[in-house]
Amino acid sequence: MQPLARDKRPFHFGTNFKMNQTPAETARFLADLAPRLNQNRVPETVRLFVIPPFTSLPMAIAARETAGLTSRVWIGAQNVHWATEGAYTGEISVPMLTSIGVDLVLLGHAERRGLFGETDEALAKKVPAALVAGLQVLLCVGETAEEKAFGVGPETVTRQLKIALHDVGNEALSRLLIGYEPVWSIGAGGTPARPQDVMETVVPLRHALTEKFGAAGQNVPILYGGSVAPDNCGDFVTLEEIDGLFVGRAAWQVEGFERVLQAALVARGDIRGDAD
Ligand code: PGA
């Protein structure tokens, strides 16, 4: 597979609601999103995704269809187990997600790793299980503040990536997305990364992807996440290796989702700004 030129690589943009939004609130978000995409002339080539809690997934899928967004917005789950079924109380399997029409699964988010003990070894089983079943996988990697202070950010994320992708073959690669989210940049106490922080880490990540998958590794989208907001998103989307944004708080309400998306597309030159 030939590497795609930067202007041919699709831009990805989405949000993770974390433990927020009831099914009704999720449905309203999707209903309100459709007219905003048209109003802002968001190109059809932009790949959008929304990752609500498990309880909102069926409603999100129905609301997306009603809003006419089925081909434009992927609906994602926030986690999945690697086994197809079994005695795993509280867990959800890949067939459970695919049977209701879920498109994507988020794996390795910093909160799952940090608060719920998700390990690289567990991810090494989850990522291939989800990819093989046809789900898109958004695999998150990121170093902590301590790891950054000790100068081992690039090694940390490369290690996370290599373990999680150990059993992934090239045939599944078109469904893989990587989210680079420095742990110190996430959430209310987080500081947005500087462009040089992002490049310092993302270049070794890209190198690890091409080492494992050859030229096809160039086409795996790498998204930035962590305190993304309308006033800083331009710093990230103009970086050579960044193919999208993964947004938390700033996009939980549809007005915010629209504002960040619009600012990112203006910064990329995909749409015109108000001042143009
Ligand atoms: P934030 O969250 O944008 O609220 O910092 C990002 C994330 O956790 O993915």
Side-chain angles (χ1 to χ4, degrees):
M1 191 196 290
Q2 286 304 308
L4 295 172
R6 179 166 166 74
D7 61 351
K8 299 275 180 306
R9 301 209 308 247
F11 181 63
H12 293 75
F13 183 91
T15 185
N16 162 22
F17 285 169
K18 308 191 179 181
M19 199 174 74
N20 295 289
Q21 313 273 33
T22 62
E25 287 163 343
T26 307
R28 202 167 319 122
F29 182 102
L30 287 156
D32 290 349
L33 183 60
R36 290 164 193 268
L37 296 180
N38 296 332
Q39 218 170 339
N40 290 306
R41 296 199 168 80
V42 173
E44 300 267 343
T45 49
V46 174
R47 306 257 169 93
L48 301 167
F49 57 91
V50 174
I51 308 181
F54 285 121
T55 45
S56 288
L57 288 171
M59 186 69 122
I61 289 159
R64 168 182 71 167
E65 186 167 2
T66 309
L69 294 178
T70 302
S71 62
R72 299 194 73 181
V73 181
W74 285 331
I75 300 296
Q78 297 178 13
N79 185 23
V80 80
H81 196 272
W82 60 82
T84 50
E85 59 191 7
Y88 300 107
T89 302
E91 292 289 317
I92 297 283
S93 73
V94 171
M96 291 171 187
L97 297 181
T98 52
S99 70
I100 62 164
V102 168
D103 312 282
L104 176 146
V105 66
L106 170 63
L107 289 171
H109 188 276
E111 287 152 13
R112 301 263 1 133
R113 292 177 189 264
L115 301 174
F116 303 106
E118 184 167 58
T119 62
D120 288 324
E121 291 68 25
L123 289 164
K125 295 193 256 185
K126 293 179 177 195
V127 173
L131 286 173
V132 163
L135 286 168
Q136 311 284 329
V137 169
L138 173 52
L139 169 68
C140 289
V141 295
E143 80 284 2
T144 63
E146 290 74 20
E147 285 158 340
K148 183 169 174 57
F150 282 117
V152 296
E155 289 95 308
T156 303
V157 297
T158 307
R159 176 179 183 280
Q160 292 170 343
L161 185 93
K162 282 186 173 172
I163 298 176
L165 300 184
H166 185 263
D167 293 333
V168 172
N170 277 54
E171 65 291 344
L173 211 54
S174 61
R175 292 189 292 282
L176 178 68
L177 310 151
I178 305 298
Y180 169 52
E181 298 204 298
V183 178
W184 45 270
S185 76
I186 293 175
T191 350
R194 297 166 309 164
Q196 59 264 44
D197 294 322
V198 178
M199 285 309 280
E200 205 177 278
T201 320
V202 161
V203 169
L205 277 179
R206 179 68 72 197
H207 181 75
L209 285 167
T210 51
E211 208 174 58
K212 176 162 173 70
F213 299 109
Q218 296 278 4
N219 295 341
V220 175
I222 302 182
L223 284 59
Y224 170 77
S227 293
V228 172
D231 60 350
N232 65 23
C233 63
D235 294 348
F236 307 117
V237 298
T238 47
L239 295 174
E240 174 62 27
E241 291 293 352
I242 293 296
D243 303 304
L245 293 173
F246 184 30
V247 192
R249 288 155 298 150
W252 286 343
Q253 302 303 323
V254 74
E255 297 80 9
F257 188 98
E258 177 188 27
R259 265 198 301 277
V260 188
L261 175 60
Q262 195 186 18
L265 293 177
V266 169
R268 282 171 47 87
D270 291 335
I271 59 171
R272 287 152 58 110
D274 291 341
D276 295 340

PDB file of all heavy atoms in Angstrom, residues 16 18 109 111 181 185-187 226-228 246-249, ligand 1:
ATOM      1  N   ASN A  16     -15.367  11.902  23.144  1.00  0.00           N
ATOM      2  CA  ASN A  16     -15.677  10.816  24.081  1.00  0.00           C
ATOM      3  C   ASN A  16     -16.465  11.468  25.216  1.00  0.00           C
ATOM      4  O   ASN A  16     -15.939  12.348  25.885  1.00  0.00           O
ATOM      5  CB  ASN A  16     -14.331  10.251  24.572  1.00  0.00           C
ATOM      6  CG  ASN A  16     -14.423   9.424  25.838  1.00  0.00           C
ATOM      7  OD1 ASN A  16     -15.482   8.906  26.184  1.00  0.00           O
ATOM      8  ND2 ASN A  16     -13.296   9.297  26.535  1.00  0.00           N
ATOM      9  N   LYS A  18     -17.229  10.198  27.942  1.00  0.00           N
ATOM     10  CA  LYS A  18     -16.844   9.621  29.246  1.00  0.00           C
ATOM     11  C   LYS A  18     -18.128   9.210  29.990  1.00  0.00           C
ATOM     12  O   LYS A  18     -19.047   8.709  29.345  1.00  0.00           O
ATOM     13  CB  LYS A  18     -15.964  10.600  30.026  1.00  0.00           C
ATOM     14  CG  LYS A  18     -14.773  11.076  29.184  1.00  0.00           C
ATOM     15  CD  LYS A  18     -13.731  11.818  29.948  1.00  0.00           C
ATOM     16  CE  LYS A  18     -12.593  12.214  29.007  1.00  0.00           C
ATOM     17  NZ  LYS A  18     -11.515  12.931  29.665  1.00  0.00           N
ATOM     18  N   HIS A 109      -7.720   4.258  26.796  1.00  0.00           N
ATOM     19  CA  HIS A 109      -7.819   5.647  27.250  1.00  0.00           C
ATOM     20  C   HIS A 109      -7.087   5.783  28.590  1.00  0.00           C
ATOM     21  O   HIS A 109      -7.098   4.864  29.420  1.00  0.00           O
ATOM     22  CB  HIS A 109      -9.289   6.065  27.395  1.00  0.00           C
ATOM     23  CG  HIS A 109      -9.427   7.528  27.682  1.00  0.00           C
ATOM     24  ND1 HIS A 109      -9.330   8.038  28.952  1.00  0.00           N
ATOM     25  CD2 HIS A 109      -9.604   8.583  26.861  1.00  0.00           C
ATOM     26  CE1 HIS A 109      -9.454   9.362  28.893  1.00  0.00           C
ATOM     27  NE2 HIS A 109      -9.635   9.719  27.628  1.00  0.00           N
ATOM     28  N   GLU A 111      -7.803   7.200  31.261  1.00  0.00           N
ATOM     29  CA  GLU A 111      -8.609   6.954  32.475  1.00  0.00           C
ATOM     30  C   GLU A 111      -8.817   5.459  32.710  1.00  0.00           C
ATOM     31  O   GLU A 111      -8.861   5.003  33.856  1.00  0.00           O
ATOM     32  CB  GLU A 111      -9.943   7.719  32.362  1.00  0.00           C
ATOM     33  CG  GLU A 111      -9.709   9.215  32.539  1.00  0.00           C
ATOM     34  CD  GLU A 111     -10.709  10.110  31.840  1.00  0.00           C
ATOM     35  OE1 GLU A 111     -11.769   9.626  31.390  1.00  0.00           O
ATOM     36  OE2 GLU A 111     -10.422  11.321  31.736  1.00  0.00           O
ATOM     37  N   GLU A 181      -2.489  11.034  23.496  1.00  0.00           N
ATOM     38  CA  GLU A 181      -3.052  11.881  24.537  1.00  0.00           C
ATOM     39  C   GLU A 181      -2.122  11.862  25.742  1.00  0.00           C
ATOM     40  O   GLU A 181      -2.179  10.924  26.561  1.00  0.00           O
ATOM     41  CB  GLU A 181      -4.409  11.342  24.978  1.00  0.00           C
ATOM     42  CG  GLU A 181      -5.438  11.332  23.886  1.00  0.00           C
ATOM     43  CD  GLU A 181      -6.846  11.364  24.471  1.00  0.00           C
ATOM     44  OE1 GLU A 181      -7.214  10.430  25.197  1.00  0.00           O
ATOM     45  OE2 GLU A 181      -7.542  12.337  24.230  1.00  0.00           O
ATOM     46  N   SER A 185      -2.103  16.189  29.971  1.00  0.00           N
ATOM     47  CA  SER A 185      -2.865  17.209  29.231  1.00  0.00           C
ATOM     48  C   SER A 185      -4.369  16.972  29.315  1.00  0.00           C
ATOM     49  O   SER A 185      -5.147  17.793  28.843  1.00  0.00           O
ATOM     50  CB  SER A 185      -2.436  17.213  27.762  1.00  0.00           C
ATOM     51  OG  SER A 185      -3.011  16.104  27.101  1.00  0.00           O
ATOM     52  N   ILE A 186      -4.757  15.858  29.928  1.00  0.00           N
ATOM     53  CA  ILE A 186      -6.178  15.474  29.895  1.00  0.00           C
ATOM     54  C   ILE A 186      -6.955  16.026  31.085  1.00  0.00           C
ATOM     55  O   ILE A 186      -6.474  15.984  32.212  1.00  0.00           O
ATOM     56  CB  ILE A 186      -6.297  13.923  29.888  1.00  0.00           C
ATOM     57  CG1 ILE A 186      -5.740  13.355  28.573  1.00  0.00           C
ATOM     58  CG2 ILE A 186      -7.722  13.474  30.084  1.00  0.00           C
ATOM     59  CD1 ILE A 186      -5.713  11.848  28.523  1.00  0.00           C
ATOM     60  N   GLY A 187      -8.151  16.502  30.826  1.00  0.00           N
ATOM     61  CA  GLY A 187      -9.093  16.844  31.890  1.00  0.00           C
ATOM     62  C   GLY A 187      -8.890  18.229  32.465  1.00  0.00           C
ATOM     63  O   GLY A 187      -7.997  18.980  32.042  1.00  0.00           O
ATOM     64  N   GLY A 226      -6.330  15.958  24.426  1.00  0.00           N
ATOM     65  CA  GLY A 226      -5.871  16.496  25.711  1.00  0.00           C
ATOM     66  C   GLY A 226      -6.059  18.003  25.723  1.00  0.00           C
ATOM     67  O   GLY A 226      -5.300  18.727  25.077  1.00  0.00           O
ATOM     68  N   SER A 227      -7.135  18.458  26.423  1.00  0.00           N
ATOM     69  CA  SER A 227      -7.440  19.900  26.550  1.00  0.00           C
ATOM     70  C   SER A 227      -7.544  20.624  25.212  1.00  0.00           C
ATOM     71  O   SER A 227      -7.160  21.783  25.111  1.00  0.00           O
ATOM     72  CB  SER A 227      -6.417  20.586  27.461  1.00  0.00           C
ATOM     73  OG  SER A 227      -6.551  20.126  28.786  1.00  0.00           O
ATOM     74  N   VAL A 228      -8.044  19.930  24.206  1.00  0.00           N
ATOM     75  CA  VAL A 228      -8.254  20.598  22.909  1.00  0.00           C
ATOM     76  C   VAL A 228      -9.418  21.582  23.046  1.00  0.00           C
ATOM     77  O   VAL A 228     -10.438  21.278  23.657  1.00  0.00           O
ATOM     78  CB  VAL A 228      -8.564  19.558  21.799  1.00  0.00           C
ATOM     79  CG1 VAL A 228      -8.976  20.255  20.509  1.00  0.00           C
ATOM     80  CG2 VAL A 228      -7.371  18.653  21.566  1.00  0.00           C
ATOM     81  N   PHE A 246      -9.117  14.459  19.028  1.00  0.00           N
ATOM     82  CA  PHE A 246      -9.965  13.669  19.908  1.00  0.00           C
ATOM     83  C   PHE A 246     -10.249  14.570  21.109  1.00  0.00           C
ATOM     84  O   PHE A 246      -9.334  14.897  21.871  1.00  0.00           O
ATOM     85  CB  PHE A 246      -9.198  12.409  20.295  1.00  0.00           C
ATOM     86  CG  PHE A 246      -9.986  11.443  21.120  1.00  0.00           C
ATOM     87  CD1 PHE A 246     -11.364  11.342  20.978  1.00  0.00           C
ATOM     88  CD2 PHE A 246      -9.352  10.613  22.026  1.00  0.00           C
ATOM     89  CE1 PHE A 246     -12.085  10.440  21.734  1.00  0.00           C
ATOM     90  CE2 PHE A 246     -10.070   9.705  22.794  1.00  0.00           C
ATOM     91  CZ  PHE A 246     -11.432   9.623  22.642  1.00  0.00           C
ATOM     92  N   VAL A 247     -11.501  14.988  21.231  1.00  0.00           N
ATOM     93  CA  VAL A 247     -11.830  16.070  22.154  1.00  0.00           C
ATOM     94  C   VAL A 247     -12.706  15.566  23.298  1.00  0.00           C
ATOM     95  O   VAL A 247     -13.612  14.760  23.078  1.00  0.00           O
ATOM     96  CB  VAL A 247     -12.577  17.196  21.391  1.00  0.00           C
ATOM     97  CG1 VAL A 247     -12.663  18.457  22.239  1.00  0.00           C
ATOM     98  CG2 VAL A 247     -11.909  17.491  20.059  1.00  0.00           C
ATOM     99  N   GLY A 248     -12.435  16.047  24.501  1.00  0.00           N
ATOM    100  CA  GLY A 248     -13.268  15.718  25.665  1.00  0.00           C
ATOM    101  C   GLY A 248     -14.203  16.864  25.978  1.00  0.00           C
ATOM    102  O   GLY A 248     -15.062  17.225  25.153  1.00  0.00           O
ATOM    103  N   ARG A 249     -13.974  17.490  27.153  1.00  0.00           N
ATOM    104  CA  ARG A 249     -14.893  18.519  27.685  1.00  0.00           C
ATOM    105  C   ARG A 249     -15.391  19.529  26.672  1.00  0.00           C
ATOM    106  O   ARG A 249     -16.560  19.887  26.661  1.00  0.00           O
ATOM    107  CB  ARG A 249     -14.187  19.314  28.801  1.00  0.00           C
ATOM    108  CG  ARG A 249     -13.971  18.584  30.080  1.00  0.00           C
ATOM    109  CD  ARG A 249     -12.795  19.186  30.826  1.00  0.00           C
ATOM    110  NE  ARG A 249     -11.565  19.051  30.061  1.00  0.00           N
ATOM    111  CZ  ARG A 249     -10.537  19.891  30.104  1.00  0.00           C
ATOM    112  NH1 ARG A 249     -10.577  20.944  30.886  1.00  0.00           N
ATOM    113  NH2 ARG A 249      -9.467  19.682  29.376  1.00  0.00           N
TER     114      ARG A 249
HETATM  115  P1  PGA B   1     -10.199  16.699  27.554  1.00  0.00           P
HETATM  116  O1  PGA B   1     -10.244  15.120  27.457  1.00  0.00           O
HETATM  117  O2  PGA B   1     -10.348  17.244  26.139  1.00  0.00           O
HETATM  118  O3  PGA B   1     -11.365  17.056  28.423  1.00  0.00           O
HETATM  119  O4  PGA B   1      -8.876  17.075  28.146  1.00  0.00           O
HETATM  120  C1  PGA B   1      -9.541  14.467  26.456  1.00  0.00           C
HETATM  121  C2  PGA B   1      -9.671  12.988  26.606  1.00  0.00           C
HETATM  122  O5  PGA B   1      -9.748  12.475  27.735  1.00  0.00           O
HETATM  123  O6  PGA B   1      -9.678  12.273  25.602  1.00  0.00           O
END
